[in-house]
């Protein structure tokens, strides 16, 4: 049921996404007759969550005044074109780098949805007849016209006595925390938090001062183990030795860059064989260009060495694959090779076709390099599934599956608590979101016990006051 606009000056926060799951970030702030939606993310993973993408939005999109994007990942931006399709015509605010990356991510999302719908109709495996995309190219282009970038650390007036300030979150290029001042009240959102040792990005800025703080909990119940590059080196070496190929599902934005950096380092040291590396993701290649442009400008989020590191990625063993025919040839590589392809959780994109062909072969290896949300193929593979469903058929999993945590760009539980502890003034309430129930509950407990703050795991659709 859709809510009506509240004309009073009471400030309220409603959790419309990223509750009981790590995807679909959507948080509605209402005050003084103004509605601000922080993040407009797409749900991924379990059917019960993905179905919400198709449900009528709880608030009339035409009644939303502003959308704030914390960063470009699909689970934070991917619902924006649907909002536009359903009537949203307000202002979209984010950093310039997020604007550049979001254009790549959203255009790719529309393309994949349209292709998937077309293929489902031809193959006849969809439960819906005809299968339709959530949005199309036209909706994306209309959404992109609404984006107005803003600099980090520069307050932006959104309405009477309402200002927004974005600060670096260190997660991916352009990622930011979002702090809203609503008269005398302050509500802040962590977005996705990065780590202190990202090879390309500077650490997250200190938390914004707030009365209400909304924090992510993707890794809220665990600690990242110390990096062990030998795990990747061993996986590549033994796969090549048995005549197989290594398939690496990788997020197109940021993750592909980190994987390439590590493979280059291992190859230069002689820790892995000199085999061709194929980057089979036009979106990843476009994102890499965004990183390089930002580095050439001396972007404030990037480390000083980022420009040199990014410039050196185009080695003799790295091959960009732009065309469909080239991608299809990688379904069954003729010689041992490494294929990096999106998406990172194997939920869509070219990597799904590669998995369908390569998983049945015991010589091959699939290397998972990031968080795998519940309900995704990546999660099924990480959990040891012996078969996965792809395009209406079950595919046997005979290939080796290796899961690495070295490439995570999400803060773990300890890193998140440490970040929170550096806030200038303790918030009145911390709301823990963007995590599976166990992760969110564990982080809330740590915040309560170690910092002595009130920490709450909200319910889906719950509305709270922030004054």
């Amino acid at each position: 049921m859709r809510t009506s606009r509240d004309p009073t000056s009471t400030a309220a926060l409603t959790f419309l996404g990223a509750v009981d799951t790590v995807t679909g970030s959507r948080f509605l702030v209402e005050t003084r007759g103004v509605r601000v939606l922080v993040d407009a993310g797409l749900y991924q993973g379990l059917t019960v969550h993905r179905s919400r993408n198709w449900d009528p939005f709880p608030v009339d999109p035409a009644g939303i005044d502003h959308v704030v994007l914390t960063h470009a990942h699909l689970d934070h931006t991917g619902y924006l074109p649907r909002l536009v399709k359903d009537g949203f015509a307000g202002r979209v605010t984010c950093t310039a780098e997020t604007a550049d990356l979001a254009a790549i991510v959203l255009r790719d999302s529309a393309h994949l949805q349209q292709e998937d719908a077309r293929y489902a109709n031809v193959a006849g495996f969809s439960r819906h007849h005809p299968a339709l995309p959530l949005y199309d190219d036209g909706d994306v282009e209309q959404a992109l016209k609404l984006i107005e970038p803003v600099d980090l650390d520069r307050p932006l007036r959104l309405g009477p006595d309402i200002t927004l300030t974005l600060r670096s979150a260190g997660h991916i290029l352009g990622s930011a925390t979002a702090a809203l001042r609503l008269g005398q009240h302050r509500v802040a959102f962590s977005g996705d938090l990065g780590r202190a040792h990202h090879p390309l990005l500077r650490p997250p800025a200190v938390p914004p001062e707030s009365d209400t703080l909304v924090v992510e909990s993707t890794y809220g119940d665990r600690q990242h183990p110390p990096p062990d590059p030998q795990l990747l080196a061993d996986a590549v070496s033994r796969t090549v030795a048995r005549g197989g190929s290594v398939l690496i599902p990788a997020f197109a934005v940021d993750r592909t860059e980190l994987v390439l950096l590590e493979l280059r380092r291992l190859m230069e040291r002689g820790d892995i064989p000199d085999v061709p590396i194929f980057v089979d993701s036009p979106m990843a290649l476009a994102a890499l260009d965004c990183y390089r442009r930002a580095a050439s400008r001396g972007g404030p989020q990037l480390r000083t060495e980022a420009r040199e590191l990014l410039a050196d990625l185009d080695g003799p063993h790295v091959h960009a694959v732009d065309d469909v025919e080239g991608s299809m040839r990688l379904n069954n590589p003729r010689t041992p090779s490494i294929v990096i392809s999106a998406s990172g959780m194997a939920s869509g994109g070219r990597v799904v076709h590669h998995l369908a062909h390569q998983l049945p072969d015991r010589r091959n290896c699939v290397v998972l390099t990031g968080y795998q949300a519940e309900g995704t193929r990546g999660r099924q593979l990480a959990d040891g599934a012996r078969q996965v469903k792809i395009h209406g058929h079950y595919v046997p999993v005979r290939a080796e599956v290796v899961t690495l945590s070295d490439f995570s760009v999400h803060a773990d539980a300890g890193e998140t608590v440490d970040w929170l502890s550096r806030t200038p003034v303790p918030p009145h309430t911390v709301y823990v979101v963007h995590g599976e129930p166990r992760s969110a509950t564990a982080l809330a407990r740590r915040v309560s016990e170690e910092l002595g703050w009130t920490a709450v795991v909200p319910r889906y659709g719950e509305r709270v006051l922030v004054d």
Side-chain angles (χ1 to χ4, degrees):
M1 181 176 181
R2 299 193 178 196
T3 62
S4 58
R5 182 182 291 270
D6 184 355
T8 71
S9 60
T10 299
L13 167 64
T14 307
F15 300 92
L16 300 178
V19 176
D20 69 28
T21 179
V22 297
T23 65
S25 291
R26 308 170 188 176
F27 310 106
L28 182 69
V29 178
E30 301 171 276
T31 185
R32 301 178 185 275
V34 176
R35 279 181 170 158
V36 180
L37 185 67
V38 178
D39 281 338
L42 202 66
Y43 278 104
Q44 299 163 296
L46 295 173
T47 302
V48 67
H49 295 137
R50 286 186 285 112
S51 65
R52 293 176 185 169
N53 293 324
W54 294 91
D55 293 341
F57 199 64
V59 172
D60 182 2
I64 298 173
D65 301 286
H66 303 273
V67 170
V68 177
L69 303 178
T70 60
H71 66 284
H73 276 151
L74 198 64
D75 57 336
H76 292 257
T77 65
Y79 190 72
L80 180 62
R82 182 68 189 204
L83 277 181
V84 171
K85 183 183 183 75
D86 290 342
F88 172 71
R91 181 179 186 177
V92 180
T93 302
C94 59
T95 64
E97 293 81 6
T98 292
D100 289 344
L101 290 169
I104 297 168
V105 169
L106 295 179
R107 285 170 177 151
D108 182 77
S109 176
H111 172 73
L112 290 178
Q113 289 187 51
Q114 291 167 130
E115 284 298 301
D116 286 348
R118 181 194 63 79
Y119 186 73
N121 287 323
V122 170
F125 63 81
S126 173
R127 290 177 297 175
H128 307 284
H129 303 285
L132 297 172
L134 187 65
Y135 48 80
D136 60 23
D137 297 328
D139 301 316
V140 169
E141 296 308 315
Q142 188 60 38
L144 296 177
K145 292 177 182 177
L146 303 178
I147 296 179
E148 299 181 27
V150 64
D151 292 337
L152 290 169
D153 304 312
R154 178 175 296 180
L156 175 69
R157 187 172 183 270
L158 298 186
D161 214 15
I162 304 172
T163 59
L164 165 72
T165 304
L166 301 179
R167 295 182 176 88
S168 182
H171 173 60
I172 65 170
L173 183 65
S175 61
T177 63
L180 287 167
R181 178 174 283 276
L182 316 169
Q184 299 301 311
H185 315 304
R186 299 158 302 177
V187 56
F189 301 82
S190 72
D192 282 358
L193 281 177
R195 308 180 67 189
H197 306 294
H198 192 294
L200 300 174
L201 301 178
R202 300 181 189 275
V206 297
E209 191 172 319
S210 63
D211 308 303
T212 300
L213 180 56
V214 180
V215 65
E216 69 130 320
S217 60
T218 305
Y219 286 93
D221 63 341
R222 71 203 78 174
Q223 178 179 339
H224 294 309
D228 186 359
Q230 195 61 40
L231 293 175
L232 176 59
D234 289 347
V236 173
S237 296
R238 62 176 174 263
T239 302
V240 173
R242 61 179 178 250
S245 290
V246 178
L247 177 60
I248 305 179
F251 297 105
V253 179
D254 198 85
R255 188 60 46 81
T256 295
E257 289 83 353
L258 300 189
V259 171
L260 282 172
L261 283 171
E262 183 61 14
L263 289 172
R264 175 183 173 82
R265 189 184 71 82
L266 293 173
M267 200 169 284
E268 286 179 342
R269 291 179 46 173
D271 291 342
I272 61 174
D274 291 343
V275 296
I277 301 171
F278 297 98
V279 182
D280 185 27
S281 171
M283 182 167 65
L285 295 170
L288 179 56
D289 286 340
C290 284
Y291 271 67
R292 285 173 169 156
R293 287 196 300 270
S296 67
R297 297 193 302 265
Q301 289 188 308
L302 290 164
R303 296 182 183 272
T304 54
E305 62 270 27
R307 183 173 183 174
E308 181 179 353
L309 288 172
L310 291 166
D312 289 342
L313 286 182
D314 293 329
H317 299 287
V318 179
H319 307 275
V321 180
D322 292 309
D323 60 305
V324 174
E325 291 75 16
S327 178
M328 291 176 65
R329 286 194 292 270
L330 294 178
N331 285 336
N332 294 291
R334 295 181 178 179
T335 59
S337 58
I338 300 171
V339 179
I340 306 171
S341 187
S343 66
M345 293 186 287
S347 55
R350 293 182 176 185
V351 76
V352 175
H353 297 273
H354 299 328
L355 286 168
H357 287 81
Q358 295 186 29
L359 282 174
D361 192 333
R362 299 181 190 278
R363 298 174 300 168
N364 296 329
C365 178
V366 176
V367 177
L368 303 172
T369 61
Y371 188 84
Q372 307 298 319
E374 190 177 6
T376 63
R377 290 188 191 89
R379 181 64 165 267
Q380 293 170 27
L381 291 171
D383 288 345
R386 303 316 305 160
Q387 59 275 320
V388 292
K389 194 173 185 180
I390 298 177
H391 296 149
H393 300 279
Y394 279 98
V395 175
V397 180
R398 301 189 185 101
E400 180 183 5
V401 177
V402 174
T403 302
L404 304 178
S405 59
D406 293 13
F407 298 98
S408 176
V409 290
H410 277 277
D412 65 17
E415 292 166 335
T416 302
V417 172
D418 178 68
W419 180 80
L420 289 169
S421 71
R422 290 183 283 133
T423 186
V425 179
H428 180 272
T429 309
V430 175
Y431 292 100
V432 182
V433 299
H434 206 279
E436 293 176 10
R438 187 176 66 180
S439 297
T441 300
L443 184 61
R445 184 182 302 114
R446 285 195 64 171
V447 171
S448 176
E449 294 176 353
E450 296 180 26
L451 301 180
W453 301 350
T454 299
V456 177
V457 179
R459 301 184 306 275
Y460 175 68
E462 183 173 0
R463 185 175 187 267
V464 297
L465 300 181
V466 296
D467 56 353

